[in-house]
């Protein structure tokens, strides 16, 4: 019921039901996990979210999605070394269990890209490729791989990944903008203009500023 309220953006009712769930069973990790996501994704309170994910992990240490979001919070708090360790731990869990879960690879690639150190780019590429391999239907995974390839000036493959991201999620304005920019970088003004027009239409439709 709490998650239904969350989906309807009835956040006060969501919080009430999570409190009820905690009162009913304080050893259940799930309410802490959902509260952590609320404070991270809705409130941008990463300190509080981090504490909630820690409480979830105390109750269920093997729950890799809590550990994944713990890493996201650490990254948002500029605690990159701890975030990297968290993502690597999720990756070990994913590989050990044979899970098809690309998010930790993608997040680690993005973390390495943000550092923009030459020695990290090939490592970032390896993680970005693995993210796409595990979850080929995730448009943001292809976008991260494209960004990594652009950093390494592998333009044609980057274009292919940008195109795939746009194909998978055609209503995502950022894919169109970045695809337009890449076409322009490659000297294809016609295609760049076409993608720019789509981007502008999506901005109007979705009220993007």
């Amino acid at each position: 019921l709490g998650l239904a309220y969350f989906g309807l953006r009835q956040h006060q009712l969501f919080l009430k039901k999570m409190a009820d769930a905690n009162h009913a069973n304080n050893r259940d990790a799930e309410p802490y996990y959902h509260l952590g996501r609320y404070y991270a994704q809705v409130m941008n309170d990463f300190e509080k979210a981090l504490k909630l994910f820690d409480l979830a992990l105390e109750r269920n240490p093997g729950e890799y999605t809590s550990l994944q979001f713990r890493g996201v919070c650490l990254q948002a708090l500029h605690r990159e070394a701890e975030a990297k360790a968290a993502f690597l731990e999720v990756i070990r869990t994913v590989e050990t269990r044979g899970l098809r879960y690309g998010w930790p690879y993608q997040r680690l690639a993005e973390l390495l890209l943000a550092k923009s150190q030459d020695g990290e780019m090939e490592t970032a590429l390896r993680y970005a490729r693995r993210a796409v391999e595990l979850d080929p239907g995730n448009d943001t995974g292809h976008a991260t791989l494209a960004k990594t390839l652009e950093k390494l000036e592998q333009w044609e493959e980057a274009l292919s990944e940008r195109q795939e991201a746009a194909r998978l999620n055609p209503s995502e304005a950022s894919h169109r903008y970045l695809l337009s920019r890449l076409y322009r970088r490659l000297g294809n003004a016609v295609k760049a203009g076409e993608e720019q027009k789509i981007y502008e239409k999506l901005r109007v439709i979705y009220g993007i500023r």
Side-chain angles (χ1 to χ4, degrees):
L1 183 55
L3 292 177
Y5 282 132
F6 185 83
L8 293 169
R9 298 186 179 182
Q10 298 291 324
H11 292 144
Q12 291 305 311
L13 292 171
F14 160 77
L15 292 171
K16 173 65 168 60
K17 290 303 172 185
M18 291 302 105
D20 290 346
N22 278 333
H23 181 73
N25 181 6
N26 191 47
R27 299 310 305 165
D28 186 0
E30 191 172 359
Y32 293 101
Y33 167 74
H34 293 302
L35 284 167
R37 292 196 63 172
Y38 166 75
Y39 281 103
Q41 296 177 311
V42 176
M43 303 302 293
N44 290 326
D45 187 342
F46 297 104
E47 290 281 6
K48 187 163 187 175
L50 183 61
K51 292 175 182 176
L52 288 161
F53 289 126
D54 284 342
L55 289 169
L57 287 164
E58 284 179 12
R59 289 155 175 77
N60 187 2
E63 213 292 290
Y64 59 91
T65 53
S66 290
L67 184 58
Q68 163 77 14
F69 278 101
R70 185 177 187 277
V72 171
C73 290
L74 289 165
Q75 187 175 3
L77 293 167
H78 306 292
R79 293 161 61 177
E80 285 85 0
E82 294 172 84
K84 181 178 180 179
F87 294 141
L88 286 170
E89 187 173 346
V90 184
I91 286 170
R92 283 192 291 271
T93 301
V94 168
E95 295 290 350
T96 299
R97 298 183 186 178
L99 303 171
R100 300 196 66 80
Y101 186 63
W103 279 108
Y105 301 88
Q106 183 181 334
R107 295 297 309 210
L108 186 50
E110 291 169 355
L111 188 152
L112 295 173
L113 283 174
K115 294 171 69 176
S116 296
Q117 296 177 358
D118 291 341
E120 301 280 13
M121 290 301 100
E122 289 294 341
T123 303
L125 180 60
R126 186 171 73 250
Y127 285 122
R129 288 195 190 282
R130 182 60 173 156
V132 168
E133 179 185 345
L134 288 171
D135 191 4
N138 184 343
D139 60 297
T140 64
H142 288 278
T144 297
L145 178 53
K147 183 179 178 181
T148 311
L149 290 162
E150 288 171 2
K151 287 273 190 179
L152 293 166
E153 299 185 357
Q154 298 182 28
W155 305 112
E156 292 300 328
E157 190 179 356
L159 177 61
S160 176
E161 293 300 327
R162 289 282 180 214
Q163 291 169 332
E164 182 64 7
R167 185 190 71 80
L168 288 167
N169 190 355
S171 63
E172 174 54 53
S174 66
H175 294 333
R176 299 298 185 170
Y177 172 76
L178 293 167
L179 188 52
S180 172
R181 192 174 70 174
L182 184 52
Y183 273 126
R184 189 166 288 108
R185 171 68 179 75
L186 294 171
N188 192 334
V190 174
K191 293 295 291 184
E194 290 174 359
E195 294 297 333
Q196 182 68 27
K197 287 179 181 177
I198 297 172
Y199 166 68
E200 295 295 344
K201 287 180 181 178
L202 290 172
R203 285 183 64 196
V204 173
I205 292 169
Y206 295 105
I208 300 168
R209 295 183 179 181

